[in-house]
Amino acid sequence: MPSITTKYNKIYQDLKSKIEDKTYEAQELLPSEAILTSYYDCSRNTVRRAIANLALEGYVQSLHGKGVRVIYQPHAQSAYAFGNVESFHEASIRNGKIAKTEVPLFVELVVDQHIAKRTSFPVGIEIYYIQRIRCMEQKALIIDHNYFRKDVVPGLTKEIAKGSIYNFIENKLHVHIVTTKRVMTVEHVNQLDRKYLELGDYNCVAVVSNYTYNADGIMFEYTQSRHRPDYFAFYDQARRNSPEE
Amino acid sequence: MPSITTKYNKIYQDLKSKIEDKTYEAQELLPSEAILTSYYDCSRNTVRRAIANLALEGYVQSLHGKGVRVIYQPHAQSAYAFGNVESFHEASIRNGKIAKTEVPLFVELVVDQHIAKRTSFPVGIEIYYIQRIRCMEQKALIIDHNYFRKDVVPGLTKEIAKGSIYNFIENKLHVHIVTTKRVMTVEHVNQLDRKYLELGDYNCVAVVSNYTYNADGIMFEYTQSRHRPDYFAFYDQARRNSPEE
DNA sequence: TGGTATTTGTCCGTATGTATC
DNA sequence: GGATACATACGGACAAATACC
């Protein structure tokens, strides 16, 4: 969890904003690492770290012997940010939209074979199972099916579920959420999708399955988010490795 | 483009295989950086770099003051690897499956308003437009719509399109492909999807739009890949930043 | 409770290799 | 060949979080 007050992060933020406001324009090369090093009064490693993070988000690409090319292009906005774990609540704030969450179901369960297969939780442990309808500007966009391990996230209530569960986990329980694995698929709609989402003639939804690990390496959350296809986009940034041999 | 012969890459590969063959098991901590440093006879930075790359792929997560936790779990196989640009041809080899590509359409075009909107190419330039049906083990899984800038990728032919266009670009044209931006969406099927893909009663496809940049920062390829929903999965690995207050 | 050792995180400086121009 | 620029690698210092006694 990189603090926002580190030196490399400040440089990262500064370069990022200068790319976004076109101080450095697309296609151009950034000033060389040596120049940036003296400009920011830091070591070359620190500049390189900031640049590496920009490259991970698709703002620049480094070219051996040439320089660092800006390839940023202002995109259509997505509901979710690049490669970061971001809650619906946080995303809505970032987009400046009004969000609302309804909780039609909040129950405690014991994991059986069927749930185990879907969630990867061990059979027999106690969990919370929550259904949440995510609305933005009066439109129901997502149905979340949340499964939380009760031993890791005790004290969850329906009231908390209406707000940000992540807030509760981080601030009240002091669990630092570190890593999430995600799988994106497309599935047939089910009755619940039909009931809550305005799907028009779509018979599919975009499904994002989240597996979240805490600091002990325990997977304590499985969430399946079922999205209205016409309001769903998932952005990604990839780097090509030189092919082997 | 990290060479596979670098020291940090060898360490990365070694740790990765030891995680996969359970020399280091899930939930365990790796040996400390100090131990790994002496084991691999290298500097601490080099070990840290290998670990950082493992973390990016969801194999481990670093915990300040504690150690580096293994969180690898063998997953259901996907047609595509994590966060890497990988061609269909390469993916099929990795999966050990027999792949075939049909090319029902191969034309040269000049970009008009309509194409410009879809591809982000400037109006007026010459391009190749190619349709490719991707089959694996007799099943048509993907329809690719490829748009290549002719000035960057000259000499493309239908024969080349039946194999790996990336191979041609890298080996013959010596263009090193560096960065790709991807957007995943879900769209209604069109006539072509219906014609070539066995969609059953799905009326949607999973769509991956690729924007590929060369070393000059020029976007020279736009590809829209339309996938059969039941054979599509997209894996992702995310890290949570500490939320800003 | 407190102090110490361990472990990861940040940052620095330097040297050398390699690709581009 | 020489100058420039990024890539790799080393070693050291200190900070911060954790674990242990």
Side-chain angles (χ1 to χ4, degrees):
Chain A
M1 51 202 143
S3 161
I4 54 176
T5 58
T6 58
K7 209 161 179 176
Y8 72 84
N9 225 318
K10 284 178 190 165
I11 297 170
Y12 161 82
Q13 292 293 347
D14 189 59
L15 289 173
K16 188 170 172 174
S17 66
K18 282 179 178 164
I19 289 169
E20 284 170 349
D21 71 17
K22 308 210 175 182
T23 306
Y24 304 126
E25 286 192 55
Q27 311 268 339
E28 278 181 14
L29 298 178
L30 289 184
S32 74
E33 292 175 356
I35 292 171
L36 291 175
T37 293
S38 76
Y39 175 76
Y40 289 111
D41 190 27
C42 67
S43 75
R44 195 175 147 225
N45 282 335
T46 304
V47 162
R48 281 178 61 73
R49 190 155 179 188
I51 291 172
N53 287 335
L54 287 171
L56 278 179
E57 296 193 11
Y59 276 66
V60 301
Q61 63 183 11
S62 292
L63 304 166
H64 197 160
K66 279 180 114 166
V68 178
R69 180 94 58 189
V70 177
I71 56 169
Y72 170 79
Q73 281 176 318
H75 246 132
Q77 281 285 31
S78 146
Y80 288 89
F82 279 97
N84 274 336
V85 189
E86 191 183 39
S87 71
F88 181 80
H89 187 66
E90 289 163 351
S92 67
I93 290 171
R94 190 171 54 75
N95 291 330
K97 301 287 176 70
I98 297 163
K100 219 185 94 189
T101 299
E102 288 169 33
V103 183
L105 186 65
F106 184 103
V107 293
E108 299 179 20
L109 296 176
V110 174
V111 173
D112 60 18
Q113 293 287 353
H114 180 256
I115 296 177
K117 191 180 173 191
R118 154 177 288 212
T119 63
S120 304
F121 283 140
V123 172
I125 65 166
E126 290 183 292
I127 56 166
Y128 297 105
Y129 170 50
I130 311 168
Q131 291 175 355
R132 303 203 287 176
I133 318 295
R134 310 297 217 148
C135 310
M136 213 176 272
E137 299 190 329
Q138 316 299 346
K139 284 194 274 284
L141 301 184
I142 310 171
I143 299 179
D144 277 352
H145 299 261
N146 299 100
Y147 302 79
F148 288 95
R149 279 184 73 141
K150 205 172 159 186
D151 55 346
V152 180
V153 192
L156 218 51
T157 67
K158 191 166 178 175
E159 276 315 302
I160 294 167
K162 284 183 185 169
S164 172
I165 294 179
Y166 272 39
N167 255 344
F168 169 74
I169 293 173
E170 292 198 333
N171 299 331
K172 294 292 186 298
L173 297 183
H174 303 291
V175 173
H176 295 291
I177 300 157
V178 188
T179 305
T180 294
K181 300 181 185 184
R182 283 187 292 214
V183 185
M184 277 233 15
T185 53
V186 176
E187 293 184 15
H188 273 120
V189 294
N190 58 31
Q191 287 189 345
L192 219 60
D193 301 331
R194 279 251 175 267
K195 181 175 176 186
Y196 289 109
L197 304 177
E198 284 170 39
L199 287 165
D201 58 352
Y202 286 101
N203 69 6
C204 300
V205 289
V207 178
V208 180
S209 300
N210 278 269
Y211 304 82
T212 310
Y213 295 75
N214 72 359
D216 295 323
I218 295 173
M219 201 200 92
F220 70 95
E221 175 194 0
Y222 167 77
T223 290
Q224 188 187 76
S225 299
R226 303 173 72 85
H227 295 249
R228 240 179 96 159
D230 50 346
Y231 277 84
F232 174 78
F234 185 88
Y235 290 77
D236 180 58
Q237 168 61 39
R239 239 189 106 77
R240 184 172 175 80
N241 293 333
S242 31
E244 335 201 356
E245 42 167 350
Chain B
M1 51 200 143
S3 161
I4 53 174
T5 58
T6 58
K7 209 160 180 177
Y8 72 84
N9 224 319
K10 284 178 189 166
I11 296 169
Y12 161 82
Q13 293 293 347
D14 190 59
L15 289 173
K16 188 169 173 174
S17 65
K18 281 178 178 165
I19 290 169
E20 285 170 350
D21 71 16
K22 308 209 176 182
T23 306
Y24 304 128
E25 285 191 56
Q27 309 270 337
E28 277 181 14
L29 297 179
L30 289 185
S32 75
E33 292 175 357
I35 292 172
L36 292 175
T37 293
S38 77
Y39 175 74
Y40 289 112
D41 188 27
C42 66
S43 73
R44 192 177 151 221
N45 280 336
T46 303
V47 162
R48 281 178 60 73
R49 187 153 181 191
I51 290 172
N53 287 336
L54 288 171
L56 279 179
E57 297 192 11
Y59 277 65
V60 300
Q61 63 183 12
S62 293
L63 302 166
H64 197 165
K66 277 181 118 166
V68 178
R69 178 95 58 191
V70 177
I71 56 170
Y72 170 79
Q73 280 175 318
H75 245 132
Q77 280 285 29
S78 144
Y80 288 91
F82 279 97
N84 273 337
V85 189
E86 190 184 38
S87 71
F88 181 79
H89 187 65
E90 288 162 354
S92 67
I93 290 171
R94 189 171 55 74
N95 290 331
K97 300 287 175 68
I98 296 163
K100 220 186 93 189
T101 299
E102 288 170 34
V103 184
L105 186 65
F106 184 103
V107 293
E108 299 181 19
L109 296 175
V110 174
V111 173
D112 60 19
Q113 293 286 354
H114 181 256
I115 296 176
K117 191 180 174 191
R118 155 177 287 214
T119 63
S120 305
F121 284 141
V123 172
I125 65 166
E126 291 182 290
I127 55 166
Y128 297 103
Y129 170 50
I130 311 168
Q131 290 176 356
R132 302 203 288 177
I133 318 296
R134 309 297 218 147
C135 310
M136 212 176 272
E137 299 190 329
Q138 316 298 349
K139 284 194 273 285
L141 300 184
I142 311 171
I143 300 179
D144 278 354
H145 299 260
N146 299 102
Y147 302 79
F148 287 96
R149 280 184 71 143
K150 205 172 159 186
D151 54 347
V152 180
V153 193
L156 217 52
T157 67
K158 191 166 179 176
E159 276 315 301
I160 294 167
K162 283 183 186 168
S164 172
I165 295 179
Y166 272 39
N167 255 345
F168 169 74
I169 292 172
E170 292 198 335
N171 298 331
K172 295 291 186 297
L173 297 183
H174 303 291
V175 173
H176 296 290
I177 301 157
V178 189
T179 306
T180 294
K181 301 182 185 184
R182 283 187 291 215
V183 186
M184 277 234 15
T185 53
V186 176
E187 293 185 15
H188 274 120
V189 294
N190 59 31
Q191 286 188 345
L192 219 58
D193 301 331
R194 279 250 175 268
K195 181 174 176 187
Y196 288 109
L197 304 177
E198 284 169 40
L199 287 164
D201 59 350
Y202 287 102
N203 69 7
C204 299
V205 289
V207 178
V208 181
S209 300
N210 278 270
Y211 304 83
T212 309
Y213 296 74
N214 71 0
D216 296 322
I218 294 172
M219 200 200 91
F220 70 95
E221 175 194 0
Y222 167 78
T223 290
Q224 188 187 76
S225 299
R226 302 172 72 86
H227 295 247
R228 241 178 94 160
D230 51 345
Y231 277 84
F232 175 78
F234 186 88
Y235 290 77
D236 181 58
Q237 168 60 39
R239 244 190 102 78
R240 182 169 178 81
N241 292 332
S242 28
E244 344 193 350
E245 350 182 4

